[in-house]
Amino acid sequence: MRATVIHAPHDIRVQEVPDPEIQQPTDVVLRVLRACICGSDLWAYRGESARQPGQRIGHEFLGIVEEAGSGVNGFAVGDLVVAPFVWSDGTCAYCAEGLTTSCPQGGFWGSVGSDGGQGEAVRVPFADGTLVKLPSAAASDDRLLTALLALSDVLGTGHHAAVGAGVKPGTTVAVVGDGAVGLCGVMAAKRLGAERIIALGRHTARTDIARTFGATDVVAERGDAAVAAVRELLGGEGAHAVIEAVGTEQSMRTAVGITRDGGSIGYVGVPHGSGTGLDLGVMFDRNIALRGGVAPVRSYIPELLPDVLSGTIDPSPVFDLAIGLDEVPAGYRAMDERTALKVLIKP
């Protein structure tokens, strides 16, 4: 079969790899219908996170079960399913607590020795603990299928940030980051009842989506100017809840600067290039809480899925470029050059 592999920085290729096979009774083999490129994939693409030459890549996908191991109880051949970006056994103490990303037997798609999602098929370990079944009719609804793909990562990650930030009815929220996760954070804040949502971003195509998702205000400034602008909008005070969806030192400084005393920051931006951006003294003096990290999206899918199916929320606009598998290298370039927000792959 064909799949995406990374050989070196800026060297993404689609090439022949061995077909996935059942290795354990709890495995399934899944034929990929939709996948996508994540902003975090760009750190490997740019050489800022290490990868072995020829390593698979991609961690967001959904598809059809083509083969199921003898120990799989919840799925059968032909089922339409979505895969969260981490597999998990569903039985350990962490899984029971909802922190599936800490499952001792879990792992990330595209890690050494595992399949990546940007290909024609994937072997899924611990299928019963990992996958979530979708209505079969969705397979013939292109928009819905695209919206459901967001459950594999960005929608659940934005929700995780909103939960970590303590968003609840009546709160004011500020979102640092205008990528797909930040935009889904806007959607999550709206869904959780935020009264006012300020999106920080300077790309009109993205801030237009933010407004569609529920943003009431947009701040285009950065750094100290952004802090001043947000505080001016909020009468000199910061936001009750701040979503940090970038992961740089500057973005975290901005997040702290725009948080109201006694407020909370939900952080989900993958940290990169940040070493001294967090001043605990400032956070201590102002009673600012910080909560977040890698999102256990498997635990959020059952909550978010009904709203996607009903159309109450529709994250599909974050996918602004659709390509075939052969075009994946060009898709990486488009996201790296910021000419695309999030690239949808149709194998």
Side-chain angles (χ1 to χ4, degrees), residues 11 28 36 49 56 60 79 87 110 163 171 188 197 215 246-247 249 287-288 295 312:
D11 186 0
V28 304
C36 55
S49 59
R56 298 280 295 277
E60 301 162 279
D79 284 345
W87 72 78
V163 170
T171 50
I197 304 170
V246 182
E249 182 173 317
N287 280 281
I288 293 175
T312 302

Side-chain angles (χ1 to χ4, degrees), residues 102-118:
S102 290
C103 177
Q105 297 195 87
F108 291 79
W109 309 112
S111 56
V112 176
S114 75
D115 294 338
Q118 295 166 12

Side-chain angles (χ1 to χ4, degrees), residues 27-51:
D27 293 349
V28 304
V29 171
L30 181 153
R31 174 170 54 88
V32 177
L33 292 183
R34 295 289 185 276
C36 55
I37 301 172
C38 183
S40 62
D41 292 331
L42 296 180
W43 303 121
Y45 181 72
R46 294 166 178 162
E48 296 183 37
S49 59
R51 293 292 189 275

Side-chain angles (χ1 to χ4, degrees), residues 154 158 175-188 199 210 213 243-245 268:
V154 289
V175 180
V176 182
D178 61 0
V181 170
L183 294 173
C184 285
V186 171
M187 176 174 283
F213 284 1
I243 290 172
E244 193 286 314
V268 292

